[in-house]
Amino acid sequence: MNLTRRNLMAGAGTVVTSTLLARAVGAQSFPFTPNQRYPDPAVQILDPGFTKYRLYSSTVEQVATGMRWAEGPAYFPEGGYLLFSDIPNNRIMKFDEKTGQTSVFRANANYANGNARDRQGRLVTCEHSVTRRITRTEKDGKITVLADKFEGKRLNAPNDIVVKSDDSIWFTDPLFGINGEWEGKKEKAEQATTNVYRIAKDGKITAVLTDLVNPNGLAFSPDEKKLYVVEWKGTPNRSIWSYNVGDDGSLSGKTKLIDAADQGSLDGFRVDRDGNLWCGWGSNGALQSEPSDVGGRKVFQLKAKSEDLDGVMVFNADGKPLAFIKLPERCANLCFGGPKNNRLFMASSHSVYALYVEAHGAV
């Protein structure tokens, strides 16, 4: 299977071939033409301070397409490849930087969502539905179950995951994977709340947060003294909350850092070495209170246009907007990678986009 931008742009025959391949696996493949001029107008500066992170001669590239809902990117420098989830197609995909090829890394992946690389170079995964568990893929390919229950009851639908320098694993557990049949199997929740969990190095699991409604993306500050968590059902808007992290893993000092007040949809995000937050962005789907006339029909339209919101928002550590990277699709999650850890990979609906920047991932 070969679903890369290089092949899509190589010629009309290749476009047809790639499209047929995408159809064969039941997904959508889209052509993409990068901007020809430098600097890329897709990188919108909201604060002049961001210019030090913009590479003048770098443009947004589409490195893979043909997914139904791309999520959970994680980069593995040892092999020079990116792993990411295609949740509705129930598979984990692999993009190889050396060859530019995209292939299926794991089929029947239990609707994997968030992925991360642990400090020993192993894949840890949120199996979003059916199994509803956290797993680790060992170097020999064997899968170890790290958590599937809390206090004797099944987890909800593990969503996003990070690994701290002390080898503890932190993950969010909202309801998305069991709410319907699109991202898994509809099932009844057993947990009374939607939590953030910590798996200690000795395997003990602790609910470190129990008061967020459907927590989603999460990440640590570069010094790991702060934990940031997206509340998907935040009121009135999706938000990122900031917490102080104790030496024992306890959290305190809950503070709202970012409020997606422009109808934006916060999802997954990562932090760079300077503490900036690079956040997947798109429409939250909110509708206008009154319908408008569209071709003779009364239609409830979105409060904000998706084409104005799809991309990546960058904020500094104080929550100030610095930049917006405009994409042709909604970005659900992202990560830093590449040989120098300065290539931003953006998992965006049907495709994965990449942009070289003058920033480096904190992890």
Side-chain angles (χ1 to χ4, degrees), residues 11 35 40 80 98 113 123 138-139 187 195 215 286 317 348 355 358:
N35 284 305
D40 191 339
K98 300 183 188 71
N113 191 333
L123 170 68
E138 309 296 345
K139 293 296 182 68
E187 294 183 287
N195 304 331
S348 306
L355 175 69
E358 202 63 77

Side-chain angles (χ1 to χ4, degrees), residues 292-299 301:
S292 56
D293 187 272
V294 178
R297 295 185 179 92
K298 296 295 183 182
V299 178
Q301 300 197 75

Side-chain angles (χ1 to χ4, degrees), residues 74-77 116-119 161-165 218-224 269-274 335-338 340-342 360-363:
Y75 187 82
F76 290 77
R117 175 189 177 276
D118 74 5
R119 302 298 169 129
I161 190 165
V162 292
V163 181
K164 199 166 176 280
S165 61
L218 76 170
F220 285 99
S221 61
D223 61 7
E224 298 185 332
F269 67 100
R270 290 294 181 267
V271 178
D272 67 25
R273 292 177 186 171
D274 290 344
C335 73
F336 288 91
K340 299 179 181 179
N341 198 26
N342 68 333
H360 300 81
V363 177

Side-chain angles (χ1 to χ4, degrees), residues 65-127:
T65 189
M67 276 57 69
R68 280 205 171 103
W69 183 243
E71 252 282 10
Y75 187 82
F76 290 77
E78 301 90 345
Y81 60 83
L82 179 81
L83 297 182
F84 60 96
S85 298
D86 182 8
I87 304 176
N89 281 326
N90 193 18
R91 58 189 184 172
I92 298 175
M93 308 298 291
K94 177 181 179 181
F95 167 69
D96 189 318
E97 274 197 298
K98 300 183 188 71
T99 65
Q101 305 297 301
T102 301
S103 59
V104 177
F105 174 79
R106 178 179 297 159
N108 301 314
N110 298 313
Y111 298 93
N113 191 333
N115 298 287
R117 175 189 177 276
D118 74 5
R119 302 298 169 129
Q120 289 73 46
R122 299 168 296 187
L123 170 68
V124 289
T125 298
C126 293
E127 295 185 359

Side-chain angles (χ1 to χ4, degrees), residues 313-335:
M313 281 288 296
V314 186
F315 301 87
N316 69 11
D318 296 321
K320 181 181 180 181
L322 300 180
F324 178 65
I325 303 169
K326 188 176 179 61
L327 298 175
E329 304 179 66
R330 180 190 186 280
C331 181
N333 211 332
L334 49 84
C335 73

Side-chain angles (χ1 to χ4, degrees), residues 122-135:
R122 299 168 296 187
L123 170 68
V124 289
T125 298
C126 293
E127 295 185 359
H128 195 48
S129 193
V130 183
T131 50
R132 296 154 62 177
R133 64 188 186 180
I134 303 298
T135 61

Side-chain angles (χ1 to χ4, degrees), residues 234-257:
T235 303
N237 307 304
R238 296 191 188 188
S239 306
I240 292 183
W241 296 95
S242 171
Y243 299 86
N244 300 319
V245 182
D247 292 338
D248 59 353
S250 61
L251 301 178
S252 62
K254 180 181 179 181
T255 304
K256 182 177 284 192
L257 181 67

